[in-house]
Amino acid sequence: MSVLTQMGVSEIAASVRAKRVSAVDVVGAHLARIAEKDGAVGAFLAGSSEAAKAEARAIDERVARGEDPGPFAGVPIAVKDVINVRGLPTTCGSKILKGFHPPYEATVIQRLKAAGAIVLGKANMDEFAMGSSNENSAYGPVRNPWDPSRVPGGSSGGSAAAVSADFAAMALGSDTGGSIRQPAALCGVVGLKPTYGRVSRYGLVAFASSLDQIGPLTRSCEDAALTLEIIAGQDVHDATSSPRPVDDYRAALTQPTKGLRIGVPRDFLSKGVDPGVMAEFEKTLSVLEKDGASLVDVDLPNAPHAIAVYYLVATAEASSNLARFDGVRYGHRAESATARATLKDMYGETRDAGFGAEVKRRIILGTFVLSSGYYDAYYVRAQKVRTLIRRDFETAFASCDVIATPTTPSPAFKLGEKTANPLEMYLADVFTVPANLAGVPGISVPCGFSNGLPVGFQFVGPSFEEKTLIRAGHAVERLMGVVGRRPVF
Amino acid sequence: MAEIENKLLSHIATLARLSLSENETQAFAHDLAQILKYAESLESINLEGVPPMSHATEGERFRPDEPTHDLTREQALQNAPDQEAGLFRVPLVIGG
């Protein structure tokens, strides 16, 4: 029996179902580790130890009665604080939602709980999922377990750090431009962004509705596959959720590397990538080739425009989505200075005091690109280039099964290193943003280390080909020998 | 559009219902100018006949537009900063 906090999703569920270990012990071990170690990391914003222990006891009682609690039996999970969990606050890392208690629960949480999962707590994040370093949280930064002087990535920084630090076997994140894959890469864990529409967004606080997807962060592709099997599928509460049947993603774990056609967009990778990251990427490619994969040159001529398109489209959608935070129905309301303040004054003061700088910056940009006189020149133009980016992927996937890139241009950077220059921070997502714009799935898998920091390898696949991403990702996991290496902090 | 004037930025902030301080206005004007300059690269792309893409979904799916009662009045009001007689209470809307 391995250390309880080092067990993966499948191992915990199998052990609890077989009565080899109790859910109470599993949850207790994780809570003890969080209590001892999270002070140095800052992965969690809120949680209820008592509720988690009570749920664990209920799971054990069901097992004792001969019932099967499900494929997540007794598995402790963390949930990015942008996803509603009943009984816990949702803050989105923002002051404006301090103390907000959601009156309903996200579909993904209902499904995971029905499969036996136990929510330990809400994971820290960049405010409203806007950021690539977790430094935009109103409740303090998260530190990378591999080097506490460095960022965990973002915006799902708390989720990635929690899984990396063995605080939770799985964490849910959300990915609008790379917010699952980028922190997964920087923290040395697996992060999967499903196809747009594969997972219900009901109960996810919206950032950019045409780009957002919920997905898992785990320590193995097997655990990512198992999580996706549970959270994927049509939901009556999300009209964009796909009616396509959900695949047996774990079956892809037994597929060989042989025959896999891996597209490599050489031009897109030609500049701006850290040499240490590039070296690990090339090494992984050649190992995959030796194991039977074929490497194909592909071209994504419009991918270099993705960051510009993203910051016009995503901010436009955000400016609209975040209009709901106005101090009327929920959240913070500014106590107005003047007795005769009007509703309009209250809106402006509430929003100026409640939102942080990056959120305000993006609301301003989004409002600008949607405003009269600029709409066609910026917003519509960006939407047209988005079409070209999607077409680039469709063309490329005619000659390959997956496209490989490094997940990020550099390993984890220092806290404060990029905060003075918003544009430089945005470029941390250069390789992850194209998949969101095209709506296609992507996975980041740890492939090596550069100066002691984890390096992520990204595969992007055609729509609804998550099984191919699991197959390819598992090959990297199996061949590169990074699995099982843990941060010491 | 290399320069975002402070005046234009104030107008945008009003549309966005953000009461920005003078310092914020200046800082965001600078940041916006920088980001929009970066986005100038899109101007050189030939977009003739290219349709705009708003979503990555496969066709539209609509549900019947029928009201449901997912939340009780109590639940809907549970997070309200101010309420009275089962209603949200807001400051003066007209006049003042």
Side-chain angles (χ1 to χ4, degrees):
Chain A
M1 181 78 55
S2 31
V3 178
L4 294 178
T5 51
Q6 295 187 2
M7 289 163 68
V9 173
S10 310
E11 192 184 356
I12 291 173
S15 305
V16 168
R17 285 161 131 176
K19 297 187 203 171
R20 286 195 299 270
V21 61
S22 71
V24 166
D25 285 347
V26 172
V27 165
H30 284 82
L31 290 171
R33 186 168 170 84
I34 292 166
E36 185 196 348
K37 296 267 192 181
D38 195 38
V41 178
F44 284 94
L45 291 176
S48 170
S49 306
E50 290 317 307
K53 286 177 191 166
E55 285 169 38
R57 280 194 297 274
I59 295 283
D60 288 334
E61 283 161 18
R62 288 180 62 189
V63 174
R65 285 199 299 269
E67 296 172 27
D68 180 6
F72 256 73
V75 176
I77 67 170
V79 179
K80 187 179 184 180
D81 201 21
V82 70
I83 298 169
N84 290 337
V85 177
R86 205 179 279 284
L88 293 175
T90 299
T91 70
C92 298
S94 181
K95 270 193 292 187
I96 209 163
L97 274 179
K98 191 171 187 181
F100 173 77
H101 276 266
Y104 68 102
E105 189 156 75
T107 298
V108 290
I109 300 300
Q110 290 177 16
R111 289 183 180 178
L112 283 163
K113 284 183 174 174
I118 294 166
V119 177
L120 295 179
K122 305 300 291 288
N124 203 345
M125 56 182 282
D126 282 302
E127 184 176 6
F128 286 106
M130 298 178 183
S132 308
S133 68
N134 215 111
E135 290 165 293
N136 295 334
S137 169
Y139 303 101
V142 176
R143 292 173 182 277
N144 192 316
W146 291 93
D147 178 349
S149 72
R150 292 176 189 271
V151 303
S155 64
S156 311
S159 297
V163 172
S164 169
D166 294 335
F167 295 155
M170 188 278 285
L172 288 178
S174 65
D175 191 315
T176 305
S179 283
I180 289 173
R181 291 160 288 157
Q182 188 258 11
L186 269 44
C187 289
V189 300
V190 174
L192 172 65
K193 182 205 89 78
T195 308
Y196 184 80
R198 182 66 295 178
V199 175
S200 168
R201 291 177 293 119
Y202 182 69
L204 169 72
V205 179
F207 160 14
S209 305
S210 82
L211 304 164
D212 298 339
Q213 268 293 287
I214 294 172
L217 295 102
T218 56
R219 291 190 295 266
S220 71
C221 289
E222 180 186 9
D223 288 350
L226 174 54
T227 308
L228 189 60
E229 284 172 25
I230 291 163
I231 63 174
Q234 193 171 20
D235 175 19
V236 67
H237 293 298
D238 176 2
T240 62
S241 64
S242 173
R244 283 172 181 252
V246 175
D247 288 322
D248 178 355
Y249 301 111
R250 280 174 293 170
L253 296 163
T254 58
Q255 298 287 309
T257 315
K258 192 168 167 52
L260 188 70
R261 297 172 303 162
I262 301 174
V264 186
R266 285 285 166 199
D267 282 355
F268 189 32
L269 307 179
S270 62
K271 55 180 180 189
V273 186
D274 173 270
V277 168
M278 207 60 200
E280 293 304 312
F281 176 72
E282 298 288 5
K283 189 168 86 187
T284 307
L285 275 182
S286 64
V287 170
L288 287 164
E289 193 177 26
K290 280 199 199 88
D291 200 49
S294 55
L295 305 185
V296 185
D297 281 331
V298 295
D299 198 14
L300 299 173
N302 293 287
H305 299 302
I307 291 285
V309 170
Y310 176 78
Y311 278 94
L312 300 177
V313 168
T315 56
E317 295 186 21
S319 75
S320 175
N321 274 325
L322 271 58
R324 62 173 61 97
F325 301 105
D326 59 5
V328 174
R329 287 157 298 161
Y330 32 67
H332 166 82
R333 176 186 289 190
E335 290 306 324
S336 203
T338 63
R340 292 187 61 78
T342 64
L343 180 65
K344 217 168 144 181
D345 296 334
M346 189 280 284
Y347 286 156
E349 287 164 27
T350 291
R351 289 161 62 78
D352 187 51
F355 291 134
E358 182 60 25
V359 173
K360 285 189 261 192
R361 186 179 291 118
R362 296 202 197 186
I363 289 173
I364 291 284
L365 176 58
T367 305
F368 171 79
V369 304
L370 291 176
S371 66
S372 174
Y374 303 101
Y375 180 83
D376 287 326
Y378 289 100
Y379 183 59
V380 177
R381 180 185 297 274
Q383 285 187 307
K384 288 180 178 174
V385 182
R386 186 178 178 186
T387 299
L388 297 181
I389 290 168
R390 181 172 171 90
R391 286 180 184 168
D392 282 354
F393 277 107
E394 285 166 358
T395 306
F397 287 133
S399 64
C400 66
D401 302 310
V402 287
I403 292 171
T405 67
T407 310
T408 60
S410 75
F413 44 92
K414 296 266 188 189
L415 273 99
E417 189 177 325
K418 295 182 197 279
T419 42
N421 186 340
L423 197 53
E424 200 185 316
M425 185 75 87
Y426 297 169
L427 292 173
D429 295 333
V430 62
F431 296 130
T432 49
V433 156
N436 298 79
L437 292 171
V440 296
I443 193 170
S444 177
V445 181
C447 71
F449 289 83
S450 176
N451 294 324
L453 298 169
V455 173
F457 193 97
Q458 177 181 241
F459 289 110
V460 172
S463 290
F464 299 99
E465 282 298 327
E466 284 83 357
K467 57 183 181 295
T468 309
L469 298 185
I470 296 288
R471 173 188 173 195
H474 185 55
V476 170
E477 193 172 62
R478 186 163 43 81
L479 296 167
M480 302 312 292
V482 176
V483 173
R485 282 185 65 172
R486 305 187 122 79
V488 179
F489 65 96
Chain B
M1 199 66 235
E3 290 266 315
I4 296 285
E5 304 291 341
N6 287 358
K7 197 177 151 194
L8 174 60
L9 203 116
S10 297
H11 169 63
I12 297 295
T14 305
L15 293 178
R17 298 290 183 266
L18 285 169
S19 305
L20 300 182
S21 69
E22 210 165 293
N23 282 347
E24 283 180 312
T25 303
Q26 280 186 12
F28 289 145
H30 168 267
D31 294 343
L32 279 201
Q34 198 193 18
I35 295 164
L36 294 177
K37 186 160 170 48
Y38 177 76
E40 278 174 8
S41 69
L42 303 185
E43 289 171 18
S44 62
I45 304 170
N46 179 7
L47 295 171
E48 212 176 304
V50 178
M53 175 177 169
S54 64
H55 256 81
T57 38
E58 315 161 296
E60 301 285 355
R61 281 184 298 273
F62 295 109
R63 58 171 171 75
D65 187 15
E66 289 159 358
T68 55
H69 297 281
D70 292 338
L71 296 185
T72 62
R73 178 181 287 244
E74 226 169 43
Q75 286 172 324
L77 285 164
Q78 77 184 36
N79 287 288
D82 195 5
Q83 55 175 296
E84 189 178 314
L87 302 167
F88 295 107
R89 190 181 147 99
V90 297
L92 204 58
V93 177
I94 310 166

